């Protein structure tokens, strides 16, 4: 039987196998050190993996009465490019009517021009990974300015340091990950052991 919501361990194995979840000794552009690194589009480059992950996430939305009752007049919204394949996969599984994605322009998150007030269906915000929650907060603000409301929110991975709800809407995820971050090399246990570093872009 097909398991529609794989366990967090199984999801993490899929992410590891595709290269999306990496273990080692990483240094981020902001100078923080970490023993793990997520590059989620590496999982979404494989169509079958992308489909399994998106269908699993969609199941977590479908069981919410407030969402199920509003389908198909729902929009799936990605805060950035990383969430676009998630948005398309979730849209397919839920048969939602609309998809939108925000992009950074001149340092500001926005939708494309001519997305007008009143056109956006009630929203489910989806992303590949939620690290701090800032991206979904900014996206929720955009949606509200367009006269719509957020009825669901989720990602494949959520760091446990990020919020687990947004104005009463629970944030769904397939994996809740307790990320270890060190502010400096002095605080980093791998630096203390002289483990070679890998510099990551973001
Ligand atoms: Zn280090």
């Amino acid at each position: 039987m097909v398991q529609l919501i794989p366990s967090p361990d199984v999801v993490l194995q899929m992410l590891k196998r595709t290269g999306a979840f990496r273990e080692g000794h990483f240094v981020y552009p902001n100078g923080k050190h970490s023993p793990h690194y997520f590059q989620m589009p590496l999982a979404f480059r494989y169509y079958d993996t992308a489909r399994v992950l998106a269908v699993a996430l969609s199941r977590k939305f479908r069981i919410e009465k407030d969402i199920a009752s509003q389908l198909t007049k729902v929009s799936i919204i990605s805060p950035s490019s990383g969430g676009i394949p998630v948005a398309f996969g979730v849209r397919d599984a839920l048969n939602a009517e609309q998809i939108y994605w925000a992009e950074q322009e001149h340092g500001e998150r926005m939708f494309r021009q001519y997305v007008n007030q009143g056109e956006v269906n009630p929203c489910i915000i989806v992303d590949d990974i939620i690290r701090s929650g800032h991206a979904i907060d900014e996206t929720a603000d955009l949606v509200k300015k367009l006269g719509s409301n957020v009825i669901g929110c989720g990602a494949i991975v959520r760091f446990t340091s990020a919020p687990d709800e947004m104005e009463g809407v629970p944030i769904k995820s397939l994996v809740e990950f307790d990320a270890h971050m060190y502010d400096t090399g002095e605080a980093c246990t791998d630096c203390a052991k002289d483990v070679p570093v890998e510099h990551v872009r973001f």
Side-chain angles (χ1 to χ4, degrees):
M1 195 187 127
V2 181
Q3 207 182 350
L4 288 166
I5 303 185
S7 71
D9 278 349
V10 169
V11 172
L12 217 44
Q13 286 304 319
M14 291 171 80
L15 298 181
K16 211 183 231 184
R17 195 170 65 234
T18 53
F21 172 55
R22 313 176 85 87
E23 290 169 294
H25 181 195
F26 302 98
V27 179
Y28 290 77
N30 61 9
K32 289 192 179 185
H33 290 227
S34 180
H36 28 243
Y37 180 59
F38 286 92
Q39 186 55 269
M40 297 297 286
L42 294 180
F44 279 83
R45 64 185 158 165
Y46 296 107
Y47 180 78
D48 287 347
T49 307
R51 195 174 145 72
V52 167
L53 295 174
V55 168
L57 187 59
S58 77
R59 301 289 297 184
K60 299 218 166 194
F61 293 126
R62 198 183 275 281
I63 56 172
E64 294 287 322
K65 283 200 186 73
D66 191 35
I67 292 174
S69 65
Q70 298 195 62
L71 287 169
T72 59
K73 289 277 182 193
V74 163
S75 64
I76 312 296
I77 308 226
S78 170
S80 63
S81 60
I84 293 174
V86 187
F88 274 81
V90 169
R91 188 239 72 91
D92 247 14
L94 294 179
N95 197 25
E97 188 184 60
Q98 297 179 328
I99 297 180
Y100 297 91
W101 57 91
E103 291 161 282
Q104 298 277 1
E105 272 183 54
H106 312 295
E108 201 185 334
R109 198 177 304 275
M110 53 179 82
F111 293 127
R112 291 296 173 102
Q113 200 171 4
Y114 304 121
V115 175
N116 298 316
Q117 180 90 16
E119 290 177 354
V120 181
N121 289 342
C123 300
I124 301 174
I125 298 174
V126 297
D127 213 341
D128 52 356
I129 185 164
I130 297 173
R131 293 185 172 89
S132 67
H134 293 148
I136 53 171
D137 280 348
E138 288 174 21
T139 306
D141 288 344
L142 285 180
V143 161
K144 281 185 257 176
K145 275 185 205 149
L146 287 165
S148 187
N149 62 311
V150 178
I151 58 170
C153 185
I156 307 304
V157 175
R158 182 181 69 82
F159 283 4
T160 51
S161 50
D164 62 0
E165 60 104 29
M166 197 173 61
E167 294 171 27
V169 173
I171 297 176
K172 311 281 188 179
S173 64
L174 301 183
V175 173
E176 309 214 328
F177 191 81
D178 182 15
H180 294 273
M181 287 281 178
Y182 304 102
D183 286 339
T184 62
E186 286 82 62
C188 172
T189 53
D190 286 326
C191 279
K193 288 184 264 174
D194 280 332
V195 179
V197 296
E198 275 179 67
H199 289 268
V200 289
R201 298 212 299 269
F202 61 89

